[in-house]
């Protein structure tokens, strides 16, 4: 099929193009669109065929549920079978925004959309194009990240185009996304809210609104590799570049020395080496191809650039990739969660 590429300025929404894209969704077709987190691949959440088409286009296992995107709080009430008090509180605090809530679903949402689960993930995104599209379509839009399953999530329309051109009906190019990491997922179906996927909205921010919050142990560091995560999607290999990515942690000067030593050896063996470094450290490496993910002191920048850098490593055909560690204070957990998965939890500790 031919993928129609729309170009829409988020500051000045072109109604005609939104209408055309919304029509595609109403007719059961798929349209990728920007949100503030990453690009999503949208289909009518009430249409099981559209959900099946999303799995097919992404090559995503059909037991990995989709997030339903809405443009008003009352749409959450429409599809939930019960809502705890925390739902309203969190929505008031963080919607529209990069937070997804898992609640018990009613019969309106088909099981195809929820990967067979009796719960549903719901988010009200904060992006003028996403909001206009949802509103105009009159649908709730099921939308996972608009990448081929297993690849880094798309933070620009070109990323989506590279993965899905010819497999979906439409793509709205609305420029680069802002945050660059997927939403925080909070499960509200048990007594205490639990973070199933860390994101820009962190544990402390959630706790200020609803009191104690747990974190699914499976999303934390390397020692928990064998625990089964509660969000099905967190079980799959993810975000992975084609090269063999390893994270090197420890004191900065030792990390640099270790990466430099390994890069020298790899290069001598004829292996193409990529290094993920920061503004502060990028000049310290004497071997390999260094890609800068941003300033270490600016964690928003690192979050924003991480997936693009992983994709660039693929484009450059890097075979071995070494990354510094980014355990930054506020969203470091979210950044490291993605990076650890991309590295299949291969971590080299230097003292
Ligand atoms: P993506 O939209 O590609 O970021 O993927 C959506 C994420 O939400 C995946 O990790 C899913 O497993 C997770 N998810 C969606 N619905 C549910 C649910 N009902 N329960 C637990 N996790 C969910
Ligand atoms: Mg995804």
């Amino acid at each position: 099929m031919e993928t129609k590429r729309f170009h829409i300025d988020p500051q000045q929404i072109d109604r005609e193009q939104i209408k055309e894209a919304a029509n595609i969704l109403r007719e059961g077709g798929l349209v990728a669109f920007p949100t503030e987190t990453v690009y999503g691949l949208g289909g009518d959440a009430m249409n099981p065929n559209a959900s099946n088409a999303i799995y097919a286009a992404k090559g995503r296992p059909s037991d990995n549920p989709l997030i339903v995107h809405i443009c008003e709080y009352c749409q959450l009430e429409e599809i939930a079978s019960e809502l705890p008090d925390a739902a309203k509180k969190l929505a008031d605090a963080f919607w529209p925004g990069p937070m997804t809530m898992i609640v018990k679903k009613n019969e309106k949402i088909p099981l195809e959309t929820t990967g067979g689960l009796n719960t549903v993930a719901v988010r009200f995104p904060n992006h003028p194009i996403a909001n206009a599209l949802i509103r105009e379509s009159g649908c709730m839009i099921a939308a996972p990240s608009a990448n081929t399953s297993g690849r880094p999530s798309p933070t620009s329309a070109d990323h989506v185009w590279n993965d899905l051109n010819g497999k979906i009906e439409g793509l709205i190019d609305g420029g680069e996304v802002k945050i660059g990491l997927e939403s925080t997922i909070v499960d509200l179906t048990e007594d205490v809210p639990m973070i199933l996927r860390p994101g820009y909205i962190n544990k402390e921010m959630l706790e200020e609104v609803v009191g104690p919050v747990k974190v699914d142990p499976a999303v934390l560091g390397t020692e928990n590799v064998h625990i089964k995560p509660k969000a099905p999607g967190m079980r799959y290999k993810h975000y992975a570049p084609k090269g063999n990515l390893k994270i090197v942690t420890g004191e900065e000067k030792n990390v640099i020395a270790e990466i430099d030593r390994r890069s020298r050896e790899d290069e001598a063996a004829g292996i193409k080496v990529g290094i993920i470094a920061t503004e502060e450290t990028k000049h310290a490496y004497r071997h390999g191809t260094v890609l800068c993910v941003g300033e270490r002191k600016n964690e928003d920048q690192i979050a924003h650039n991480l997936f693009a850098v992983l994709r660039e490593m693929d484009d450059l055909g890097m075979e071995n990739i070494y990354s510094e560690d980014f355990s930054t204070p506020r969203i470091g957990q979210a950044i490291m969660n993605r990076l650890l998965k991309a590295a299949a939890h291969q971590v080299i500790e230097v003292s």
Side-chain angles (χ1 to χ4, degrees):
M1 85 178 63
E2 197 167 327
T3 302
K4 165 133 198 194
R5 188 159 172 159
F6 301 90
H7 292 267
I8 301 181
D9 177 353
Q11 311 309 332
Q12 212 174 349
I13 302 276
D14 176 343
R15 290 279 139 207
E16 288 312 307
Q17 292 199 76
I18 288 284
K19 273 190 186 151
E20 204 181 317
N23 267 335
I24 296 177
L25 290 170
R26 270 198 298 271
E27 287 164 9
L30 306 185
V31 178
F33 60 96
T35 77
E36 79 277 36
T37 57
V38 300
Y39 270 75
L41 174 58
D44 177 359
M46 302 291 178
N47 180 345
N49 296 331
S51 293
N52 286 332
I54 291 175
Y55 295 118
K58 281 178 62 76
R60 176 170 173 131
S62 58
D63 63 351
N64 185 4
L66 311 175
I67 294 176
V68 176
H69 289 67
I70 60 175
C71 62
E72 287 176 70
Y73 180 78
C74 63
Q75 292 177 308
L76 171 67
E77 297 172 324
E78 217 179 301
I79 59 176
S81 65
E82 57 185 84
L83 280 181
D85 293 343
K88 182 81 175 65
K89 288 185 191 159
L90 289 173
D92 284 344
F94 301 116
W95 276 0
M99 182 210 53
T100 297
M101 295 195 251
I102 311 275
V103 297
K104 292 191 178 135
K105 80 176 204 60
N106 63 23
E107 68 295 337
K108 282 194 182 164
I109 291 285
L111 287 167
E112 282 78 0
T113 301
T114 62
L117 298 177
N118 57 11
T119 55
V120 60
V122 187
R123 182 163 99 86
F124 179 169
N126 185 14
H127 193 289
I129 293 177
N131 298 150
L133 184 66
I134 300 168
R135 197 170 297 280
E136 181 63 38
S137 70
C139 307
M140 300 185 208
I141 299 185
S145 51
N147 51 309
T148 297
S149 196
R151 294 210 71 204
S153 294
T155 53
S156 74
D158 283 343
H159 295 162
V160 181
W161 192 254
N162 289 341
D163 282 10
L164 299 178
N165 181 23
K167 297 181 177 171
I168 58 176
E169 281 79 7
L171 160 62
I172 300 178
D173 183 341
E176 268 192 32
V177 301
K178 202 164 140 237
I179 295 177
L181 294 181
E182 306 87 342
S183 58
T184 306
I185 301 181
V186 195
D187 183 358
L188 298 183
T189 63
E190 314 256 341
D191 291 343
V192 180
M194 184 189 274
I195 296 177
L196 306 190
R197 176 172 73 185
Y200 185 83
I201 309 285
N202 66 19
K203 183 170 185 276
E204 291 69 34
M205 292 158 82
L206 296 168
E207 284 185 330
E208 264 183 40
V209 179
V210 289
V213 168
K214 293 196 270 194
V215 181
D216 184 351
V219 306
L220 298 172
T222 44
E223 66 275 19
N224 297 305
V225 169
H226 301 296
I227 302 174
K228 193 170 153 191
K230 279 193 76 188
M234 303 296 277
R235 278 175 218 153
Y236 299 104
K237 185 169 175 251
H238 228 107
Y239 314 121
K242 292 175 190 133
N244 184 4
L245 170 65
K246 295 191 170 94
I247 303 166
V248 183
T249 75
E251 211 182 299
E252 188 176 279
K253 69 175 192 327
N254 299 337
V255 167
I256 292 170
E258 178 69 14
I259 293 180
D260 207 43
R261 186 183 66 76
R262 285 175 177 260
S263 319
R264 188 185 65 233
E265 283 177 14
D266 288 351
E267 269 190 354
I271 297 167
K272 286 183 89 173
V273 192
I275 297 168
I276 303 178
T278 54
E279 265 322 314
E280 292 89 338
T281 58
K282 66 181 184 189
H283 296 298
Y285 297 100
R286 295 166 300 172
H287 306 274
T289 302
V290 180
L291 297 186
C292 177
V293 75
E295 292 174 18
R296 181 167 288 279
K297 59 177 188 292
N298 185 344
E299 30 182 339
D300 288 341
Q301 226 177 48
I302 296 175
H304 179 265
N305 293 332
L306 181 67
F307 288 139
V309 164
L310 292 175
R311 278 179 179 260
E312 205 179 331
M313 289 292 182
D314 280 354
D315 297 342
L316 295 168
M318 294 302 157
E319 296 162 288
N320 278 357
I321 305 163
Y322 300 104
S323 176
E324 296 174 8
D325 169 295
F326 305 108
S327 302
T328 53
R330 189 169 42 82
I331 43 175
Q333 187 175 83
I335 296 169
M336 286 311 292
N337 169 262
R338 307 313 192 271
L339 193 62
L340 280 162
K341 281 174 72 74
H345 290 266
Q346 299 185 89
V347 179
I348 301 160
E349 282 182 46
V350 291
S351 50

